[in-house]
Amino acid sequence: MSTKDVDATIVPLRSDEDVVRLRQAVRECLVSVGFSLVDQTKMITAASELARNTVRYGGGGESHLLKVMNGSRKGVTLVFIDHGPGIPDIKQALTDGYTSGGGMGLGLGGAKRLSDEFDIDSEPGRGTTVKITKWKPF
């Protein structure tokens, strides 16, 4: 069964203020789909980490918020896109405690644990795209 996009919003990510705007947009999107407060908190936390990475390490970019359906399942997909330096070793970057900057090193791995689906595509010199999805329980 294929997943189809129901609705999409694009949020530019260039500054900390944009990260705050994204958090609010993600909350509104999750509420509109009917997610619990716990699942809202998980996805907003993951979105915040990925948005900060997009700004800090990717030099800015954008996030796409998509309401998705797969049969009768409803969910939210967030896609973070930057055209920065890319990630040379994705496996290492997903390891808790690894940081290429001054952070705690929980961003990518944490976002993966907080979402139901996680995909990352990155190459040095080409930028990074991270996609996470949370499905609403039946």
Side-chain angles (χ1 to χ4, degrees):
M1 184 157 309
S2 67
T3 301
K4 70 174 188 166
D5 300 343
V6 176
D7 192 16
T9 302
I10 298 174
V11 178
L13 296 171
R14 308 236 182 287
S15 67
D16 289 341
E17 291 80 15
D18 291 338
V19 174
V20 172
R21 276 190 280 283
L22 173 73
R23 288 173 58 94
Q24 184 59 39
V26 170
R27 179 179 305 283
E28 291 169 5
C29 184
L30 292 163
V31 167
S32 74
V33 175
F35 278 92
S36 70
L37 185 57
V38 170
D39 283 338
Q40 289 174 45
T41 301
K42 288 178 180 179
M43 280 300 274
I44 291 166
T45 300
S48 189
E49 290 293 326
L50 295 172
R52 283 194 217 313
N53 284 357
T54 300
V55 171
R56 182 177 297 142
Y57 304 115
E62 62 188 29
S63 178
H64 297 233
L65 288 67
L66 305 116
K67 295 178 187 177
V68 294
M69 291 197 64
N70 186 343
S72 62
R73 292 176 77 194
K74 292 181 185 177
V76 171
T77 294
L78 308 175
V79 183
F80 297 83
I81 302 165
D82 72 56
H83 302 287
I87 301 170
D89 186 340
I90 291 173
K91 184 177 179 185
Q92 181 183 31
L94 286 167
T95 304
D96 284 348
Y98 173 78
T99 179
S100 60
M104 294 188 306
L106 299 174
L108 287 175
K112 183 175 183 177
R113 283 189 301 278
L114 292 168
S115 57
D116 295 329
E117 296 175 13
F118 178 92
D119 184 62
I120 184 168
D121 180 34
S122 185
E123 282 183 27
R126 194 178 55 82
T128 301
T129 299
V130 179
K131 178 179 166 182
I132 60 173
T133 299
K134 190 77 171 167
W135 293 105
K136 188 174 179 302
F138 289 102

